[in-house]
Amino acid sequence: MVFYRDDEMLIRNMQESDAQIITDCEILQGYHASVEKYRMRLRHQREGKSVALVAEYRGQVAGYIHVYWSETTGAFAKTGYPEIVDFGVLQKFRRKGIGNKLMDAAEALAAKASDTVYLGVGLHSGYGSAQRMYIKRGYIPDGSGVWYKDEVCEPYSQCRNDDDLVLYLSKKLK
């Protein structure tokens, strides 16, 4: 299914072949990427748990985003709000509006199921661009503080500034 199209960009459902392309590109960027993660996302899409989207820019896979319909972890677990998960734009395609178009498509999907969408954003500098984009798009912190490995990080407790250290944000869609 196509969610957006213009002269340079296409946003569509993720396909099996995209998993390896994204993984290879992320490894070249220095990430610890695994094709299994994207195969899991595709399996969840087939099972109806989520929608996995890919952006193409001038015919090349450029980014991805996933909308999960009902998550069981995190600050908004069991609320029925959709969660935006695992969003990325490959480095060579950044600053072309791809991230915002992916977010537009994800929010439009979420709005069909709920008046609110949420996400967790990492806190280290690698997430700096995403943090700024979410705030500019109207996402606000939920007030539960920082989470680490799917649990609230208690005040003054130790945690590691890795991909599991997140702040949950939500946005009213309607």
Side-chain angles (χ1 to χ4, degrees):
M1 178 175 209
V2 173
F3 297 89
Y4 176 82
R5 181 189 305 256
D6 66 20
D7 292 341
E8 295 185 315
M9 196 179 323
L10 171 70
I11 297 178
R12 58 169 173 75
N13 283 103
M14 183 180 277
Q15 303 166 359
E16 290 291 333
S17 60
D18 298 326
Q20 192 64 58
I21 294 167
I22 294 167
T23 301
D24 292 346
C25 289
E26 288 186 333
I27 289 169
L28 287 172
Q29 292 176 178
Y31 295 0
H32 300 284
S34 164
V35 71
E36 293 309 316
K37 176 176 82 168
Y38 300 106
R39 289 182 179 151
M40 175 193 69
R41 302 280 187 223
L42 286 161
R43 186 175 65 254
H44 290 171
Q45 179 171 251
R46 285 190 302 274
E47 293 168 355
K49 295 178 181 178
S50 67
V51 177
L53 303 179
V54 161
E56 290 183 14
Y57 184 77
R58 296 182 179 170
Q60 294 184 319
V61 172
Y64 52 88
I65 197 166
H66 310 275
V67 178
Y68 277 76
W69 301 118
S70 182
E71 280 297 287
T72 58
T73 60
F76 294 91
K78 301 177 186 170
T79 60
Y81 298 153
E83 181 180 12
I84 293 174
V85 177
D86 196 22
F87 163 54
V89 176
L90 300 171
Q91 287 175 353
K92 65 183 179 179
F93 296 106
R94 292 183 182 164
R95 309 201 70 62
K96 299 180 184 318
I98 296 166
N100 273 310
K101 289 295 183 195
L102 280 166
M103 288 294 295
D104 289 346
E107 289 173 1
L109 281 168
K112 292 178 181 180
S114 177
D115 66 346
T116 302
V117 66
Y118 76 101
L119 53 81
V121 63
L123 296 181
H124 66 67
S125 61
Y127 292 98
S129 294
Q131 294 164 1
R132 291 174 50 82
M133 180 190 358
Y134 299 146
I135 299 304
K136 288 178 181 179
R137 292 183 66 90
Y139 285 81
I140 59 169
D142 78 301
S144 66
V146 176
W147 286 60
Y148 188 67
K149 295 194 181 227
D150 295 324
E151 293 184 12
V152 172
C153 190
E154 296 299 324
Y156 306 102
S157 65
Q158 291 191 5
C159 59
R160 184 176 175 168
N161 194 7
D162 61 17
D163 291 344
D164 291 320
L165 185 66
V166 300
L167 182 66
Y168 282 96
L169 310 170
S170 68
K171 178 180 178 177
K172 284 284 188 194
L173 299 171
K174 300 175 187 172

